[in-house]
């Protein structure tokens, strides 16, 4: 029995999700988490991995810029450790909004792959 190794990057995660036929569950979970945080988002099942990554990046960027409290609520919902949030460098908001910058966010996405 091989042990599961979590993907390191968002691209790796999306590739693994597609290989394991879990991509649709990943989209469902992302929609669920954002909506639970009162941040309306509805990625259709037809969303490609590239589109998903770009749209998530844009959404996170807007949350950082205009709705930081809502972003913190979302990070709490998806179990990003508070220490990870405190370690984020806010000097470059475009870089900061990359999904790979939020280890807990990626970990939450990994849950569908276990």
């Amino acid at each position: 029995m091989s042990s599961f190794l979590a993907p390191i990057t968002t691209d790796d995660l999306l590739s693994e999700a597609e290989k394991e036929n879990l991509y649709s569950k990943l989209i469902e979970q992302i929609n669920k988490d954002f909506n639970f945080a009162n941040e309306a988002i509805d990625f259709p099942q037809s969303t490609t991995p590239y589109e998903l990554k770009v749209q998530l990046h844009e959404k996170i960027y807007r949350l950082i810029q205009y709705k930081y409290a809502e972003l913190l609520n979302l990070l709490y919902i998806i179990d990003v450790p508070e220490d990870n949030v405190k370690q984020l460098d806010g000097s470059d908001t475009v870089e900061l909004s990359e999904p790979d910058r939020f280890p807990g966010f990626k970990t939450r996405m990994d849950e569908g792959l276990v």
Side-chain angles (χ1 to χ4, degrees), residues 44-111:
Q45 290 295 321
S46 61
T47 304
T48 68
Y50 176 77
E51 292 169 332
L52 180 65
K53 182 178 177 181
V54 168
Q55 290 177 27
L56 277 174
H57 185 208
E58 290 172 1
K59 179 69 170 181
I60 293 169
Y61 178 79
R62 285 192 304 274
L63 289 171
I64 290 169
Q65 290 292 317
Y66 307 111
K67 297 173 124 186
Y68 194 72
E70 287 82 352
L71 173 65
L72 293 177
N73 184 43
L74 174 65
L75 296 177
Y76 175 77
I77 287 169
I78 61 176
D79 299 323
V80 174
E82 188 175 338
D83 289 343
N84 290 2
V85 175
K86 289 179 182 177
Q87 293 173 7
L88 296 174
D89 175 13
S91 62
D92 184 349
T93 55
V94 172
E95 182 182 329
L96 181 61
S97 61
E98 285 283 340
D100 289 340
R101 298 287 296 185
F102 295 96
F105 182 75
K106 199 169 68 59
T107 300
R108 176 71 170 196
M109 291 170 57
D110 292 343
E111 288 176 359

